[in-house]
């Protein structure tokens, strides 16, 4: 384990160097290509050093790395946006969302960056409104959106790991469930064997008892019938002890469906010699299908009740009643007093198992003495197709929805602000235009009050002072755009006023990259010369 740590550390250092080189490239290129204001060499080297420290802190201290990147952006431009450090700011915001476990510190860092940027614009900004809009757009698109993307990435990875872990647990649970199902199936088979064979042996004992008392039977045959009846009773007890121990009181109906209806079960018991009849001589009311859960449970209840009557109350009349309704079916089995000695009770669990099965199906079960005999009554509700429960929303889906809403809200707010910023830019630029035809007649010495009627409402917010000639001493100069074109560099008119507020000088400043003046401004200059 320890042999791999140096390699891992070397790999981490190598990746950090690569990240630093990628983030330092825009800073060096922007300075070389003139995309930033010229900076001293020590400022460039200091910026590269701060980037190196931020990259080193990005893995364990992502908030500190983001704070250093934001500090570089604010030092380079009050509005936070700069070509040199903009990519680094977005990268550190992405890493902040990816590696910071909680959002509170990150929100505080983003808010602090916005507050510091607003304070710097208010103190040192040249045109606060456009700069504030640029600051807001940079915060949204350069900080908030990358941070949300990092959080989405982090949540996706965490939820994917949790999903694999849950899948492994579900697989283990499925194996355990299959093992439990096999054990339960064995118990159900044993239970069904006990109930079915016990019922058949009880009917066999009834037939032997009827044969034993039949008239005209030889003594040897009568003794054989008695032995057969005793053997059937002993076999029932042995079956209860051997197979009945596997019964589970809370088990539902056996897996194998009963192969006969309630009418057929009663008829077969009557043919075996059990004095059983339908109440009032009527057959059973319509009952559920024998193969369904309710039909199997009713068949099991009736079979167990008839078996107990045959074993414990021989010779007693048995009355069966079935009442069917839309909500469910009730079966009642009542036997009278026994006319002969019955089999001793071995403390079986047949009635207990029936009670648990019926109540687990939502029904009701009663069993107890009734008059001189015993009564068993069970209500089994009709089988209903349960409505499918709606699947719970996965955590991954909820997390994706929250992140998508956050990204959508940030993107929407950013688009609105960008649109507002562009609208403000268009308004200020078009309202700072001094037409060449209005510029040409202006004469030095004219008071400012006489010129106010032809001058625009606003001045150019970003005047080309670096390209303009040196103004006359003691004058205050105003710059106006010569054209309303947007997103391009246009010619500017400069009007300088002396201490008495009179026009002292007028100049045309060509746009950046132009070798000459535009036709309108050239005509204005020629008109002024004449």
């Amino acid at each position: 384990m320890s042999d791999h740590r140096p390699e891992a550390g070397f790999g981490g250092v190598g990746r950090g160097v690569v990240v630093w080189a990628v983030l330092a490239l825009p800073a060096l290129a922007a300075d070389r290509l003139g995309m930033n204001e010229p900076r001293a060499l020590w400022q460039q080297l200091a910026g590269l050093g701060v980037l190196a420290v931020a990259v080193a802190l990005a893995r364990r201290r992502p908030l500190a790395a983001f704070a250093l990147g934001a500090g570089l952006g604010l030092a380079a431009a009050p509005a936070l946006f700069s070509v040199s450090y903009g990519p680094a700011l977005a990268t550190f915001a992405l890493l902040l969302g990816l590696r910071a476990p909680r959002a509170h510190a990150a929100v505080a860092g983003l808010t602090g960056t916005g507050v510091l940027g607003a304070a710097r614009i208010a103190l040192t900004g040249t045109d606060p409104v456009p700069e504030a809009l640029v600051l807001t757009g940079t915060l949204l698109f350069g900080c908030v959106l990358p941070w949300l993307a990092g959080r989405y990435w982090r949540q996706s990875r965490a939820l994917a790991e949790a999903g694999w872990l849950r899948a492994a647990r579900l697989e283990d649970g499925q194996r355990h469930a299959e093992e439990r199902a096999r054990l339960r199936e064995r118990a159900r088979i044993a239970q069904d064997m006990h109930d079915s064979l016990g019922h058949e042996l009880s009917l066999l004992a009834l037939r032997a008892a009827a044969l034993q008392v039949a008239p005209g039977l030889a003594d040897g045959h009568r003794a054989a019938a008695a032995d057969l009846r005793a053997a059937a009773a002993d076999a029932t007890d042995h079956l209860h002890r051997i197979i009945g121990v596997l019964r589970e009181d809370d088990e539902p109906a056996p897996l194998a469906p009963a192969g006969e209806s309630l009418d057929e079960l009663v008829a077969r018991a009557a043919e075996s010699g059990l004095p059983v009849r339908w109440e009032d001589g009527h057959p059973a009311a319509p009952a559920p299908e024998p193969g369904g859960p309710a039909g199997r449970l009713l068949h099991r209840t009736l079979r167990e009740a008839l078996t107990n009557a045959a074993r414990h109350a021989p010779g007693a009349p048995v009355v069966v009643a079935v009442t069917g309704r839309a909500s469910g079916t009730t079966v009642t089995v009542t036997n009278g007093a026994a006319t002969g000695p019955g089999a001793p009770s071995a403390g079986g669990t047949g009635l207990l198992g029936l009670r648990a099965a019926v109540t687990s199906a939502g029904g009701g079960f009663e069993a107890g003495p009734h008059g001189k005999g015993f009564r068993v009554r069970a209500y089994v509700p009709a089988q209903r197709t349960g409505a499918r429960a709606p699947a719970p929303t996965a955590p991954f889906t909820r997390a994706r929805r929250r992140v998508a809403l956050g990204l959508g809200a940030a993107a929407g707010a950013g688009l609105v602000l960008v649109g507002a910023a562009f609208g403000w830019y268009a308004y200020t630029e078009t309202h700072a235009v001094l037409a060449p035809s209005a510029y040409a007649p202006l004469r030095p010495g004219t008071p400012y009050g006489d010129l106010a009627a032809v001058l625009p409402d606003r001045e150019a917010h970003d005047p080309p002072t670096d390209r303009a000639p040196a103004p006359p001493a003691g004058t205050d100069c105003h710059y106006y755009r010569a054209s309303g074109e947007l997103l391009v560099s246009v010619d500017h008119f400069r009007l300088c006023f002396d201490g008495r507020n009179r026009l002292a000088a007028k100049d045309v400043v060509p746009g950046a990259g132009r070798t000459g003046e535009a036709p309108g401004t050239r005509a204005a200059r020629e008109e002024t010369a004449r």
Side-chain angles (χ1 to χ4, degrees):
M1 190 74 176
S2 60
D3 295 337
H4 296 279
R5 289 179 181 175
E7 297 178 4
F10 178 77
V13 172
R15 287 192 296 269
V17 171
V18 172
V19 172
W20 174 80
V22 171
L23 297 181
L25 182 62
L28 297 175
D31 290 332
R32 296 296 182 273
L33 297 177
M35 303 176 71
N36 287 332
E37 292 294 332
R39 297 184 302 164
L41 179 61
W42 71 268
Q43 293 178 328
Q44 300 180 27
L45 295 178
L48 296 180
V50 173
L51 279 180
V53 175
V55 170
L57 295 175
R59 178 171 295 276
R60 298 185 179 274
R61 298 289 185 270
L63 182 59
F66 173 77
L68 291 176
L72 282 177
L74 291 175
L80 186 63
F81 175 78
S82 66
V83 179
S84 297
Y85 305 119
L89 181 65
T91 301
F92 292 135
L94 176 67
L95 295 178
L96 178 62
L98 180 62
R99 294 172 178 172
R102 296 185 179 182
H104 302 290
V107 172
L110 294 171
T111 304
T113 301
V115 171
L116 291 177
R120 188 159 190 266
I121 289 174
L123 295 175
T124 63
T126 57
D127 198 349
V129 175
E131 290 178 347
L133 291 175
V134 173
L135 172 64
T136 306
T138 304
L139 282 173
L140 286 174
F141 289 99
C143 299
V144 176
L145 282 180
W147 174 67
L148 289 176
R151 285 186 58 81
Y152 178 78
W153 190 2
R154 175 187 177 87
Q155 290 177 353
S156 298
R157 290 167 53 182
L159 289 173
E161 294 176 1
W164 283 111
L165 181 59
R166 179 176 175 81
R169 291 178 177 174
L170 289 177
E171 186 177 354
D172 293 340
Q174 182 66 23
R175 286 198 297 266
H176 293 308
E178 292 175 357
E179 182 64 26
R180 289 194 302 269
R182 285 194 293 268
L183 295 176
R184 291 166 68 91
E185 183 177 359
R186 293 175 183 175
R188 289 177 183 180
I189 293 174
Q191 175 181 332
D192 191 43
M193 289 176 60
H194 175 273
D195 294 342
S196 300
L197 294 179
H199 179 71
E200 298 299 333
L201 289 174
S202 298
L203 296 182
L204 179 61
L206 283 176
R207 291 179 181 271
L211 181 61
Q212 181 182 358
V213 299
L217 191 66
D219 292 340
H221 291 168
R222 198 179 303 278
D227 293 340
L228 178 60
R229 181 178 62 84
D234 292 341
T236 304
D237 293 337
H238 292 163
L239 179 67
H240 172 75
R241 287 193 299 268
I242 296 173
I243 301 179
V245 296
L246 298 177
R247 297 176 62 131
E248 297 183 13
D249 295 341
D250 59 346
E251 285 295 317
L255 292 177
E260 58 186 352
S261 64
L262 301 184
D263 293 337
E264 295 171 346
L265 178 59
V266 173
R268 189 161 60 88
E271 291 174 358
S272 301
L274 183 67
V276 58
R277 64 179 176 84
W278 290 105
E279 188 177 25
D280 299 329
H282 296 289
E289 292 293 330
R296 293 198 303 267
L297 193 52
L298 289 171
H299 184 278
R300 177 184 171 187
T301 302
L302 180 56
R303 184 181 61 190
E304 183 70 21
L306 294 178
T307 301
N308 290 340
R311 294 187 61 213
H312 304 297
V318 182
V319 179
V320 179
V322 176
T323 305
R325 294 186 178 89
S327 59
T329 304
T330 302
V331 59
T332 305
V333 182
T334 307
N335 63 269
T339 59
S345 177
T349 59
L351 294 180
L352 294 178
L354 278 177
R355 183 186 301 277
V358 172
T359 53
S360 65
F365 185 85
E366 299 176 2
H370 181 73
K372 294 182 179 181
F374 198 84
R375 183 174 69 181
V376 175
R377 174 177 292 171
Y379 167 73
V380 179
Q383 182 182 5
R384 295 181 176 87
T385 303
R388 186 177 181 181
T393 305
F396 193 21
T397 304
R398 293 196 298 269
R400 280 182 170 177
R401 186 181 297 115
R402 289 196 302 268
V403 175
L405 289 176
L407 290 173
L415 291 176
V416 170
L417 289 173
V418 169
F422 184 79
W424 178 261
Y425 165 76
Y427 173 81
T428 56
E429 296 301 296
T430 54
H431 282 73
V433 175
L434 178 61
S437 58
Y439 168 80
L442 300 181
R443 295 291 183 267
T446 306
Y448 178 83
D450 297 341
L451 303 179
V454 298
L455 296 180
D457 299 336
R458 298 179 58 87
E459 300 179 17
H461 75 278
D462 189 16
T465 55
D466 55 335
R467 300 191 303 271
T475 59
D476 180 23
C477 297
H478 302 264
Y479 291 82
Y480 302 96
R481 294 170 60 91
S483 171
E485 298 178 81
L486 301 177
L487 304 178
V488 295
S489 180
V490 299
D491 296 342
H492 285 72
F493 295 132
R494 186 181 70 174
L495 303 180
C496 297
F497 295 87
D498 56 17
R500 294 181 300 173
N501 211 15
R502 294 177 178 273
L503 181 61
K506 49 184 294 189
D507 301 282
V508 177
V509 183
R514 295 173 181 259
T515 56
E517 299 171 355
T521 57
R522 186 182 305 113
R525 181 182 290 277
E526 293 174 355
E527 180 66 21
T528 301
R530 288 196 297 268

